[in-house]
Amino acid sequence: MSTTPTTASLIDLAARGQLPLHQYMDRATIGWITTNRPDLQPSPQPALRPVAQYLLRRTGLPRDWMAEPRLYDSIHGVRHAMRTAALAAVLAEANGLDDADTTTAVVAAAVHDCQRHHDKDDRGHGERAAIWLAANADTVWGRFDLTATPRRVTRAATAIRLHDVPYGAFSPDDQADYLRSQIICDVVKTADALDRYRLPKTRWWPNAQHVKEPAFDTFRSLAFDLVSISEKAHLAGAHSPAAVLYALAEKELA
């Protein structure tokens, strides 16, 4: 378990506009999140293929892959990465993606925030992570017992680079890259957006206006449950990867 700084809760700090650069979940905040659960329709039970389930068990990535090790257990750290990867796998299944594209989406989701410097609006972290991925492709795909191919690396890096760029802010070059990797980009963007129930203001929670994925609303309930279960498990003493794996097992995803 991480050594969490003894500070005011994220919910109190957010209300005062005083969130720090490095933000860690606390009991008051997860209690507030649970209390404010939206009126969500139950999500259908996804039936993930064995390849997706195997990949999700490998998404507890090493701490030294993070540009800032203090973020490993933060709200943009490994728990967020693992849940985003799980939601990417669910969305890939909902879209009928084949094993190759599912794998690309899961790998991209798992590392999309690894080059963040802090938990606030760290502009350019997607581009930094895409460059890092390209430079470390063999290591990353090797983590999943896979071979990095130019197509896989290019499509994953494009999704990572664009995940923090709003669709409406795409440059002409961004748009051209997006169209060559559209489904992977849409899945990763949507999975990342669905995991926003961890944030300490309801206006920062998932918003369908920012995504282009028809299945977004379908899996809001699942996304909320993954946050609630894994964050509570972490605060109860589980190491971050173990906390998310526990939540995935509870939801029969891995």
Side-chain angles (χ1 to χ4, degrees), residues 167 178 186-194 206-217 220:
Y167 286 107
Y178 166 70
D186 288 344
V187 164
V188 173
K189 271 182 166 290
T190 303
D192 186 31
L194 280 169
N207 186 334
Q209 293 181 345
H210 302 310
V211 299
K212 294 185 175 182
E213 170 53 61
F216 181 79
D217 286 333
R220 284 179 186 252

Side-chain angles (χ1 to χ4, degrees), residues 180-191:
R180 286 190 287 268
S181 303
Q182 182 170 350
I183 188 60
I184 307 300
C185 291
D186 288 344
V187 164
V188 173
K189 271 182 166 290
T190 303

Side-chain angles (χ1 to χ4, degrees), residues 237-250:
H239 184 52
S240 283
V244 180
L245 290 174
Y246 171 73
L248 297 182
E250 283 285 299

Side-chain angles (χ1 to χ4, degrees), residues 80-101:
H80 167 58
M82 292 178 72
R83 291 191 301 260
T84 303
L87 292 164
V90 169
L91 292 168
E93 190 69 39
N95 280 277
L97 271 60
D98 61 17
D99 286 352
D101 280 351

Side-chain angles (χ1 to χ4, degrees), residues 22-39:
H22 304 111
Q23 301 166 26
Y24 303 89
M25 186 59 69
D26 57 83
R27 288 179 174 81
T29 299
I30 194 61
W32 172 86
I33 289 170
T34 302
T35 299
N36 285 277
R37 180 189 178 101
D39 184 16

Side-chain angles (χ1 to χ4, degrees), residues 126-177:
E127 183 172 9
R128 294 196 300 270
I131 293 169
W132 179 89
L133 176 72
N136 295 276
D138 289 339
T139 299
V140 173
W141 266 266
R143 167 81 185 183
F144 296 93
D145 296 325
L146 299 167
T147 299
T149 65
R151 176 178 169 81
R152 285 174 171 172
V153 175
T154 298
R155 285 162 69 81
T158 298
I160 292 169
R161 184 176 70 80
L162 296 177
H163 89 267
D164 63 339
V165 181
Y167 286 107
F170 281 3
S171 69
D173 287 344
D174 292 340
Q175 184 67 20
D177 288 345

Side-chain angles (χ1 to χ4, degrees), residues 3-135:
T3 302
T4 304
T6 54
T7 62
S9 68
L10 292 182
I11 184 64
D12 289 338
L13 291 169
R16 300 201 299 261
Q18 296 176 348
L19 285 169
L21 286 177
H22 304 111
Q23 301 166 26
Y24 303 89
M25 186 59 69
D26 57 83
R27 288 179 174 81
T29 299
I30 194 61
W32 172 86
I33 289 170
T34 302
T35 299
N36 285 277
R37 180 189 178 101
D39 184 16
L40 300 168
Q41 293 296 317
S43 299
Q45 177 59 49
L48 296 185
R49 286 162 286 173
V51 63
Q53 294 181 358
Y54 176 78
L55 293 172
L56 295 185
R57 292 193 291 269
R58 304 292 296 167
T59 55
L61 305 179
R63 186 183 296 267
D64 62 9
W65 287 16
M66 307 290 289
E68 172 48 78
R70 284 178 292 179
L71 293 188
Y72 186 79
D73 290 309
S74 82
I75 64 168
H76 285 97
V78 70
R79 297 192 307 283
H80 167 58
M82 292 178 72
R83 291 191 301 260
T84 303
L87 292 164
V90 169
L91 292 168
E93 190 69 39
N95 280 277
L97 271 60
D98 61 17
D99 286 352
D101 280 351
T102 296
T103 296
T104 301
V106 170
V107 172
V111 301
H112 76 284
D113 272 351
C114 73
Q115 296 301 292
R116 269 185 167 271
H117 295 156
H118 54 75
D119 286 306
K120 300 187 85 171
D121 185 16
D122 185 6
R123 296 190 179 186
H125 69 271
E127 183 172 9
R128 294 196 300 270
I131 293 169
W132 179 89
L133 176 72

